[in-house]
Amino acid sequence: MSIETVITAYFDNMAAMNPDGWISHFAEDAISYDPVGHPPTRVHEGFQEFFQQMRTIFEQIEATTEHIFVAGTEAAVKWTIRGVSKSGKSVTFEGITVFEVNDAEQIQTTRAYWNPEAMIAQLRS
């Protein structure tokens, strides 16, 4: 499996709000900095809660990866997510996530650069 395949599955499972498919691509001890600047989280702890929050807020989401730049076992991905909230509001937010993939072709670390406050402001406007 290529790094591009792992990343595509990450975003596809996120958009499908499929927590089991999403988590299957992470190493057991994977760490996420999402967003960078907030305390890191252990991906396998609380991921069901994360998806429940997404389901509570969004009716649907669509994730687009504009560019995937691979270098060795890492990749930087420019992405855009468009969503429709349960109340019918449309939101668009974008960012860059750097993925580190281990030898077992599982995501070891993510570092996501984006502004959650901008997304929240769109939902509240």
PDB file of all heavy atoms in Angstrom, residues 3-4 6 9 16-17 24 32 36 38-41 44 48 64 67 71 76-77 85 93 95 106 108 110 124:
ATOM      1  N   ILE A   3       1.750   5.425   0.486  1.00  0.00           N
ATOM      2  CA  ILE A   3       1.373   6.501   1.401  1.00  0.00           C
ATOM      3  C   ILE A   3       0.141   7.230   0.863  1.00  0.00           C
ATOM      4  O   ILE A   3      -0.773   7.568   1.616  1.00  0.00           O
ATOM      5  CB  ILE A   3       2.556   7.471   1.621  1.00  0.00           C
ATOM      6  CG1 ILE A   3       3.641   6.778   2.442  1.00  0.00           C
ATOM      7  CG2 ILE A   3       2.093   8.756   2.305  1.00  0.00           C
ATOM      8  CD1 ILE A   3       4.898   7.595   2.651  1.00  0.00           C
ATOM      9  N   GLU A   4       0.086   7.441  -0.444  1.00  0.00           N
ATOM     10  CA  GLU A   4      -1.073   8.108  -1.042  1.00  0.00           C
ATOM     11  C   GLU A   4      -2.359   7.335  -0.777  1.00  0.00           C
ATOM     12  O   GLU A   4      -3.404   7.924  -0.500  1.00  0.00           O
ATOM     13  CB  GLU A   4      -0.887   8.295  -2.556  1.00  0.00           C
ATOM     14  CG  GLU A   4       0.182   9.290  -2.932  1.00  0.00           C
ATOM     15  CD  GLU A   4       1.544   8.647  -3.165  1.00  0.00           C
ATOM     16  OE1 GLU A   4       1.802   7.529  -2.662  1.00  0.00           O
ATOM     17  OE2 GLU A   4       2.377   9.277  -3.837  1.00  0.00           O
ATOM     18  N   VAL A   6      -2.963   5.304   1.801  1.00  0.00           N
ATOM     19  CA  VAL A   6      -3.288   5.461   3.221  1.00  0.00           C
ATOM     20  C   VAL A   6      -3.946   6.815   3.460  1.00  0.00           C
ATOM     21  O   VAL A   6      -4.968   6.919   4.158  1.00  0.00           O
ATOM     22  CB  VAL A   6      -2.019   5.301   4.095  1.00  0.00           C
ATOM     23  CG1 VAL A   6      -2.299   5.669   5.551  1.00  0.00           C
ATOM     24  CG2 VAL A   6      -1.476   3.891   3.989  1.00  0.00           C
ATOM     25  N   ALA A   9      -7.494   6.941   2.062  1.00  0.00           N
ATOM     26  CA  ALA A   9      -8.406   6.215   2.952  1.00  0.00           C
ATOM     27  C   ALA A   9      -8.718   7.035   4.203  1.00  0.00           C
ATOM     28  O   ALA A   9      -9.864   7.032   4.681  1.00  0.00           O
ATOM     29  CB  ALA A   9      -7.809   4.863   3.324  1.00  0.00           C
ATOM     30  N   ALA A  16     -16.888   9.888   5.181  1.00  0.00           N
ATOM     31  CA  ALA A  16     -17.976   8.924   5.362  1.00  0.00           C
ATOM     32  C   ALA A  16     -18.399   8.814   6.831  1.00  0.00           C
ATOM     33  O   ALA A  16     -19.357   8.113   7.150  1.00  0.00           O
ATOM     34  CB  ALA A  16     -17.555   7.559   4.832  1.00  0.00           C
ATOM     35  N   MET A  17     -17.669   9.523   7.703  1.00  0.00           N
ATOM     36  CA  MET A  17     -17.886   9.451   9.144  1.00  0.00           C
ATOM     37  C   MET A  17     -17.880   8.002   9.605  1.00  0.00           C
ATOM     38  O   MET A  17     -18.746   7.547  10.328  1.00  0.00           O
ATOM     39  CB  MET A  17     -19.153  10.197   9.541  1.00  0.00           C
ATOM     40  CG  MET A  17     -19.047  11.693   9.290  1.00  0.00           C
ATOM     41  SD  MET A  17     -20.427  12.601   9.985  1.00  0.00           S
ATOM     42  CE  MET A  17     -20.643  13.864   8.729  1.00  0.00           C
ATOM     43  N   SER A  24      -8.427   2.304  11.516  1.00  0.00           N
ATOM     44  CA  SER A  24      -7.670   1.140  11.064  1.00  0.00           C
ATOM     45  C   SER A  24      -6.372   1.512  10.364  1.00  0.00           C
ATOM     46  O   SER A  24      -5.486   0.670  10.204  1.00  0.00           O
ATOM     47  CB  SER A  24      -8.528   0.266  10.143  1.00  0.00           C
ATOM     48  OG  SER A  24      -8.734   0.906   8.892  1.00  0.00           O
ATOM     49  N   SER A  32      -1.614  12.595  17.337  1.00  0.00           N
ATOM     50  CA  SER A  32      -2.117  13.617  16.425  1.00  0.00           C
ATOM     51  C   SER A  32      -1.987  14.995  17.059  1.00  0.00           C
ATOM     52  O   SER A  32      -2.397  15.203  18.200  1.00  0.00           O
ATOM     53  CB  SER A  32      -3.586  13.342  16.088  1.00  0.00           C
ATOM     54  OG  SER A  32      -4.089  14.346  15.239  1.00  0.00           O
ATOM     55  N   VAL A  36      -2.066  21.839  15.144  1.00  0.00           N
ATOM     56  CA  VAL A  36      -0.770  22.142  15.747  1.00  0.00           C
ATOM     57  C   VAL A  36      -0.963  23.348  16.662  1.00  0.00           C
ATOM     58  O   VAL A  36      -1.678  24.287  16.330  1.00  0.00           O
ATOM     59  CB  VAL A  36       0.284  22.425  14.652  1.00  0.00           C
ATOM     60  CG1 VAL A  36       1.553  23.013  15.251  1.00  0.00           C
ATOM     61  CG2 VAL A  36       0.587  21.154  13.875  1.00  0.00           C
ATOM     62  N   HIS A  38      -2.251  22.947  19.732  1.00  0.00           N
ATOM     63  CA  HIS A  38      -3.077  22.388  20.792  1.00  0.00           C
ATOM     64  C   HIS A  38      -2.364  21.149  21.332  1.00  0.00           C
ATOM     65  O   HIS A  38      -1.530  20.562  20.647  1.00  0.00           O
ATOM     66  CB  HIS A  38      -4.467  22.002  20.256  1.00  0.00           C
ATOM     67  CG  HIS A  38      -5.339  23.178  19.992  1.00  0.00           C
ATOM     68  ND1 HIS A  38      -5.184  23.985  18.886  1.00  0.00           N
ATOM     69  CD2 HIS A  38      -6.372  23.694  20.683  1.00  0.00           C
ATOM     70  CE1 HIS A  38      -6.086  24.938  18.906  1.00  0.00           C
ATOM     71  NE2 HIS A  38      -6.819  24.797  19.990  1.00  0.00           N
ATOM     72  N   PRO A  39      -2.712  20.712  22.532  1.00  0.00           N
ATOM     73  CA  PRO A  39      -2.053  19.516  23.068  1.00  0.00           C
ATOM     74  C   PRO A  39      -2.271  18.311  22.146  1.00  0.00           C
ATOM     75  O   PRO A  39      -3.365  18.136  21.593  1.00  0.00           O
ATOM     76  CB  PRO A  39      -2.749  19.302  24.417  1.00  0.00           C
ATOM     77  CG  PRO A  39      -3.302  20.639  24.782  1.00  0.00           C
ATOM     78  CD  PRO A  39      -3.647  21.307  23.485  1.00  0.00           C
ATOM     79  N   PRO A  40      -1.243  17.489  21.971  1.00  0.00           N
ATOM     80  CA  PRO A  40      -1.392  16.304  21.119  1.00  0.00           C
ATOM     81  C   PRO A  40      -2.341  15.294  21.763  1.00  0.00           C
ATOM     82  O   PRO A  40      -2.532  15.283  22.974  1.00  0.00           O
ATOM     83  CB  PRO A  40       0.023  15.753  21.024  1.00  0.00           C
ATOM     84  CG  PRO A  40       0.705  16.247  22.245  1.00  0.00           C
ATOM     85  CD  PRO A  40       0.087  17.575  22.571  1.00  0.00           C
ATOM     86  N   THR A  41      -2.937  14.465  20.910  1.00  0.00           N
ATOM     87  CA  THR A  41      -3.823  13.417  21.409  1.00  0.00           C
ATOM     88  C   THR A  41      -3.341  12.061  20.915  1.00  0.00           C
ATOM     89  O   THR A  41      -2.741  11.957  19.849  1.00  0.00           O
ATOM     90  CB  THR A  41      -5.278  13.622  20.946  1.00  0.00           C
ATOM     91  OG1 THR A  41      -5.305  13.639  19.517  1.00  0.00           O
ATOM     92  CG2 THR A  41      -5.854  14.917  21.478  1.00  0.00           C
ATOM     93  N   HIS A  44      -5.954   6.596  19.254  1.00  0.00           N
ATOM     94  CA  HIS A  44      -6.837   5.492  19.618  1.00  0.00           C
ATOM     95  C   HIS A  44      -7.666   5.772  20.868  1.00  0.00           C
ATOM     96  O   HIS A  44      -8.592   5.027  21.168  1.00  0.00           O
ATOM     97  CB  HIS A  44      -6.041   4.187  19.787  1.00  0.00           C
ATOM     98  CG  HIS A  44      -5.706   3.553  18.480  1.00  0.00           C
ATOM     99  ND1 HIS A  44      -6.495   2.606  17.879  1.00  0.00           N
ATOM    100  CD2 HIS A  44      -4.656   3.758  17.639  1.00  0.00           C
ATOM    101  CE1 HIS A  44      -5.954   2.236  16.725  1.00  0.00           C
ATOM    102  NE2 HIS A  44      -4.837   2.916  16.562  1.00  0.00           N
ATOM    103  N   GLN A  48     -13.771   7.659  18.894  1.00  0.00           N
ATOM    104  CA  GLN A  48     -15.223   7.479  18.736  1.00  0.00           C
ATOM    105  C   GLN A  48     -15.954   8.757  19.143  1.00  0.00           C
ATOM    106  O   GLN A  48     -16.914   9.164  18.505  1.00  0.00           O
ATOM    107  CB  GLN A  48     -15.730   6.297  19.571  1.00  0.00           C
ATOM    108  CG  GLN A  48     -15.248   4.950  19.092  1.00  0.00           C
ATOM    109  CD  GLN A  48     -15.987   4.449  17.844  1.00  0.00           C
ATOM    110  OE1 GLN A  48     -16.874   5.092  17.304  1.00  0.00           O
ATOM    111  NE2 GLN A  48     -15.587   3.290  17.376  1.00  0.00           N
ATOM    112  N   THR A  64     -11.487  17.011   0.169  1.00  0.00           N
ATOM    113  CA  THR A  64     -10.751  17.010  -1.095  1.00  0.00           C
ATOM    114  C   THR A  64      -9.273  17.202  -0.789  1.00  0.00           C
ATOM    115  O   THR A  64      -8.909  18.107  -0.043  1.00  0.00           O
ATOM    116  CB  THR A  64     -11.227  18.154  -2.007  1.00  0.00           C
ATOM    117  OG1 THR A  64     -12.631  18.050  -2.187  1.00  0.00           O
ATOM    118  CG2 THR A  64     -10.527  18.117  -3.345  1.00  0.00           C
ATOM    119  N   HIS A  67      -3.378  18.423  -3.097  1.00  0.00           N
ATOM    120  CA  HIS A  67      -2.005  18.009  -3.393  1.00  0.00           C
ATOM    121  C   HIS A  67      -1.513  17.079  -2.294  1.00  0.00           C
ATOM    122  O   HIS A  67      -1.762  17.327  -1.116  1.00  0.00           O
ATOM    123  CB  HIS A  67      -1.049  19.211  -3.479  1.00  0.00           C
ATOM    124  CG  HIS A  67      -1.427  20.218  -4.508  1.00  0.00           C
ATOM    125  ND1 HIS A  67      -1.278  20.002  -5.857  1.00  0.00           N
ATOM    126  CD2 HIS A  67      -1.983  21.444  -4.385  1.00  0.00           C
ATOM    127  CE1 HIS A  67      -1.709  21.060  -6.521  1.00  0.00           C
ATOM    128  NE2 HIS A  67      -2.145  21.947  -5.643  1.00  0.00           N
ATOM    129  N   ALA A  71       7.612  12.519   0.656  1.00  0.00           N
ATOM    130  CA  ALA A  71       9.066  12.513   0.791  1.00  0.00           C
ATOM    131  C   ALA A  71       9.412  11.424   1.786  1.00  0.00           C
ATOM    132  O   ALA A  71       9.154  11.559   2.992  1.00  0.00           O
ATOM    133  CB  ALA A  71       9.577  13.873   1.259  1.00  0.00           C
ATOM    134  N   ALA A  76       3.024  15.694   2.997  1.00  0.00           N
ATOM    135  CA  ALA A  76       2.304  16.915   3.330  1.00  0.00           C
ATOM    136  C   ALA A  76       1.109  16.981   2.374  1.00  0.00           C
ATOM    137  O   ALA A  76       1.265  16.799   1.166  1.00  0.00           O
ATOM    138  CB  ALA A  76       3.197  18.138   3.161  1.00  0.00           C
ATOM    139  N   VAL A  77      -0.060  17.222   2.946  1.00  0.00           N
ATOM    140  CA  VAL A  77      -1.283  17.197   2.160  1.00  0.00           C
ATOM    141  C   VAL A  77      -2.016  18.522   2.312  1.00  0.00           C
ATOM    142  O   VAL A  77      -2.333  18.945   3.422  1.00  0.00           O
ATOM    143  CB  VAL A  77      -2.212  16.047   2.616  1.00  0.00           C
ATOM    144  CG1 VAL A  77      -3.491  16.020   1.799  1.00  0.00           C
ATOM    145  CG2 VAL A  77      -1.482  14.720   2.541  1.00  0.00           C
ATOM    146  N   SER A  85     -23.965  21.653   7.919  1.00  0.00           N
ATOM    147  CA  SER A  85     -24.308  21.366   9.302  1.00  0.00           C
ATOM    148  C   SER A  85     -25.728  20.820   9.398  1.00  0.00           C
ATOM    149  O   SER A  85     -26.504  20.907   8.441  1.00  0.00           O
ATOM    150  CB  SER A  85     -24.180  22.633  10.154  1.00  0.00           C
ATOM    151  OG  SER A  85     -25.239  23.520   9.864  1.00  0.00           O
ATOM    152  N   PHE A  93     -13.455  24.843   5.032  1.00  0.00           N
ATOM    153  CA  PHE A  93     -12.203  25.143   5.724  1.00  0.00           C
ATOM    154  C   PHE A  93     -11.104  24.323   5.081  1.00  0.00           C
ATOM    155  O   PHE A  93     -11.362  23.296   4.452  1.00  0.00           O
ATOM    156  CB  PHE A  93     -12.305  24.927   7.237  1.00  0.00           C
ATOM    157  CG  PHE A  93     -12.845  23.594   7.669  1.00  0.00           C
ATOM    158  CD1 PHE A  93     -11.990  22.608   8.147  1.00  0.00           C
ATOM    159  CD2 PHE A  93     -14.206  23.327   7.638  1.00  0.00           C
ATOM    160  CE1 PHE A  93     -12.490  21.383   8.561  1.00  0.00           C
ATOM    161  CE2 PHE A  93     -14.713  22.097   8.055  1.00  0.00           C
ATOM    162  CZ  PHE A  93     -13.849  21.127   8.522  1.00  0.00           C
ATOM    163  N   GLY A  95      -6.602  23.373   5.055  1.00  0.00           N
ATOM    164  CA  GLY A  95      -5.368  23.313   5.821  1.00  0.00           C
ATOM    165  C   GLY A  95      -4.353  22.406   5.159  1.00  0.00           C
ATOM    166  O   GLY A  95      -4.535  21.961   4.018  1.00  0.00           O
ATOM    167  N   GLN A 106       1.180   2.289   8.465  1.00  0.00           N
ATOM    168  CA  GLN A 106       0.136   2.889   9.284  1.00  0.00           C
ATOM    169  C   GLN A 106       0.576   4.297   9.660  1.00  0.00           C
ATOM    170  O   GLN A 106       1.770   4.576   9.802  1.00  0.00           O
ATOM    171  CB  GLN A 106      -0.106   2.067  10.546  1.00  0.00           C
ATOM    172  CG  GLN A 106      -0.725   0.716  10.265  1.00  0.00           C
ATOM    173  CD  GLN A 106      -1.047   0.012  11.560  1.00  0.00           C
ATOM    174  OE1 GLN A 106      -0.159  -0.195  12.393  1.00  0.00           O
ATOM    175  NE2 GLN A 106      -2.303  -0.355  11.741  1.00  0.00           N
ATOM    176  N   GLN A 108       1.605   7.124  11.833  1.00  0.00           N
ATOM    177  CA  GLN A 108       2.231   7.208  13.145  1.00  0.00           C
ATOM    178  C   GLN A 108       1.957   8.560  13.795  1.00  0.00           C
ATOM    179  O   GLN A 108       1.688   8.640  14.981  1.00  0.00           O
ATOM    180  CB  GLN A 108       3.744   6.985  13.018  1.00  0.00           C
ATOM    181  CG  GLN A 108       4.447   6.836  14.325  1.00  0.00           C
ATOM    182  CD  GLN A 108       4.047   5.560  15.048  1.00  0.00           C
ATOM    183  OE1 GLN A 108       4.162   4.473  14.501  1.00  0.00           O
ATOM    184  NE2 GLN A 108       3.566   5.688  16.260  1.00  0.00           N
ATOM    185  N   THR A 110       0.292  12.709  12.924  1.00  0.00           N
ATOM    186  CA  THR A 110      -0.261  13.747  12.055  1.00  0.00           C
ATOM    187  C   THR A 110      -0.022  15.098  12.710  1.00  0.00           C
ATOM    188  O   THR A 110      -0.085  15.226  13.937  1.00  0.00           O
ATOM    189  CB  THR A 110      -1.775  13.584  11.794  1.00  0.00           C
ATOM    190  OG1 THR A 110      -2.483  13.723  13.030  1.00  0.00           O
ATOM    191  CG2 THR A 110      -2.097  12.252  11.148  1.00  0.00           C
ATOM    192  N   ARG A 124     -21.575  29.462  13.226  1.00  0.00           N
ATOM    193  CA  ARG A 124     -22.348  30.373  14.076  1.00  0.00           C
ATOM    194  C   ARG A 124     -22.931  31.556  13.327  1.00  0.00           C
ATOM    195  O   ARG A 124     -23.801  32.235  13.840  1.00  0.00           O
ATOM    196  CB  ARG A 124     -21.483  30.888  15.224  1.00  0.00           C
ATOM    197  CG  ARG A 124     -21.156  29.798  16.215  1.00  0.00           C
ATOM    198  CD  ARG A 124     -20.382  30.355  17.379  1.00  0.00           C
ATOM    199  NE  ARG A 124     -20.121  29.293  18.359  1.00  0.00           N
ATOM    200  CZ  ARG A 124     -19.162  29.319  19.246  1.00  0.00           C
ATOM    201  NH1 ARG A 124     -18.377  30.366  19.325  1.00  0.00           N
ATOM    202  NH2 ARG A 124     -19.006  28.328  20.075  1.00  0.00           N
TER     203      ARG A 124
END
